[in-house]
Amino acid sequence: MYINTAEEISGVPSSWPGVVLSVGSSGSKVRQMQEQLNRIARAYPAMPSIAADGIYGPRTQEAVETFQSIFGLPVTGNVDFRTWYKISEIYVGVSRIAELA
């Protein structure tokens, strides 16, 4: 049996930040979520593209609400535990980072 190893895998989603992200939140977790939503938007044109600036504003809220609506989540505009992991799940699927070539 051969086990493939790597020093670092880029683009792998990280754990939920432990707090609900909403309008007014900022930081690296917000930026990561925005970048993932933008990648998802390339596969789901109904989703708006947003600035990945790390600031959770009205446009990010709109993108989150659209995402929640598309994927059957309660439409709150906030990124809670359930929404965070659904974003991660869909991001992995559309970016194909889970596949080996």
Side-chain angles (χ1 to χ4, degrees):
M1 177 189 335
Y2 176 76
I3 298 175
N4 198 4
T5 62
E7 292 296 317
E8 180 178 329
I9 300 173
S10 65
V12 175
S14 64
S15 300
W16 182 59
V19 296
V20 174
L21 300 176
S22 60
V23 172
S25 298
S26 62
S28 62
K29 293 291 187 174
V30 173
R31 177 176 281 113
Q32 175 190 343
M33 178 262 304
Q34 290 168 326
E35 289 170 350
Q36 290 176 359
L37 286 175
N38 279 336
R39 177 59 187 92
I40 293 166
R42 288 173 36 202
Y44 291 86
M47 289 188 53
S49 293
I50 53 176
D53 58 6
I55 300 168
Y56 201 123
R59 291 279 297 154
T60 299
Q61 180 180 18
E62 177 188 350
V64 169
E65 289 172 348
T66 302
F67 177 87
Q68 290 169 327
S69 176
I70 291 169
F71 293 101
L73 298 168
V75 180
T76 63
N78 299 325
V79 179
D80 58 4
F81 179 88
R82 187 172 172 196
T83 300
W84 178 273
Y85 282 108
K86 186 55 126 175
I87 291 170
S88 295
E89 175 189 345
I90 301 303
Y91 172 75
V92 167
V94 299
S95 64
R96 305 174 72 105
I97 61 175
E99 294 183 6
L100 296 176

